[in-house]
Structures are given as structure tokens and as C-alpha cells.
Amino acid sequence: QVQLVESGGGLVQPGGSLRLSCVASTNIFTIFVMGWYRQAPGKQRELVAAIGSGGSTNYADSVKGRFTISRDNAKNTVYLQMNSLNPEDTAVYYCNAHRVLAHGGYDYWGQGTQVTVSS
């Protein structure tokens, strides 16, 4: 069973930065597509950014140019560098590991880390 542990959330002022980390307890980390999702109060969970095993990335339009996702396969870790934060970025951020299978796939989720952007 894959365990995902997020860290790095907290309270930050508008315009500030945070770096989220997600460590996966697996010896086959490289086969997973990793992603960051977030859920704000009253809203559905949405994909923020994802990174494939080969390093390709995808971002939500709302965070393009401000957030950067990266992975360090040697450390089983995925990062989300968040710059120019605004109050609309306030949400619980969840780490996701997606295992691509021949027929469908499987997802693992972390417990989430709170990010609050407020003056």
C-alpha cells in the first residue's frame, strides 16, 4: 500500500510563496503519475498540477506561470512551488499518485495540507 505524506502548508500573505512536498512510501515511485489537487470551501476538488514519469507537466489555467510542479525520483518526492499566492489559492492541497494500468488505473491520496493566503 502506498502512503503519501504532504508537508509545507501554512499561512502566508498575498504575494508570498510556499513550497509543498509529498513523500511517497513506495519502491516503485517512478511508475506513478504524480499530481497536486486542491479543494476550497464550497468547491469541488480540482487538479492543480500533474507530472508524468518522464517529466511532462500539466497545470490548471488558474496557476500557470505561478506554480511549478517537480519530482525527485531518487527521494520519492513531489514538490509544488507556489509563488505570487492570492486568497483564491486558499484550500486544502492533496497529493495524488496515479498508477497507470493496462485497463484503467488506481489512485492513492494523501491526507492534505492546509494553505491559507490572507492578509
Side-chain angles (χ1 to χ4, degrees), residues 39-91:
Q39 187 167 23
K43 298 182 179 179
Q44 294 190 344
R45 187 175 298 187
E46 65 174 348
L47 175 68
V48 177
I51 184 167
S53 59
S56 61
T57 58
N58 291 293
Y59 297 93
D61 289 340
S62 60
V63 307
K64 287 181 179 178
R66 300 188 298 121
F67 291 10
T68 303
I69 188 171
S70 61
R71 67 191 295 164
D72 187 336
N73 290 335
K75 297 181 178 180
N76 280 17
T77 303
V78 175
Y79 305 96
L80 185 67
Q81 178 66 47
M82 305 185 294
N83 300 324
S84 301
L85 286 162
N86 58 65
E88 288 68 47
D89 296 315
T90 296

Side-chain angles (χ1 to χ4, degrees), residues 14 16-17 19-20 34 36-40 46 55 63 66 70 78 95 100 105-107 119:
S17 299
R19 189 193 194 199
L20 305 183
M34 302 300 299
W36 288 96
Y37 290 71
R38 68 185 181 187
Q39 187 167 23
E46 65 174 348
V63 307
R66 300 188 298 121
S70 61
V78 175
C95 182
V100 179
Y106 200 83
D107 289 284
S119 60

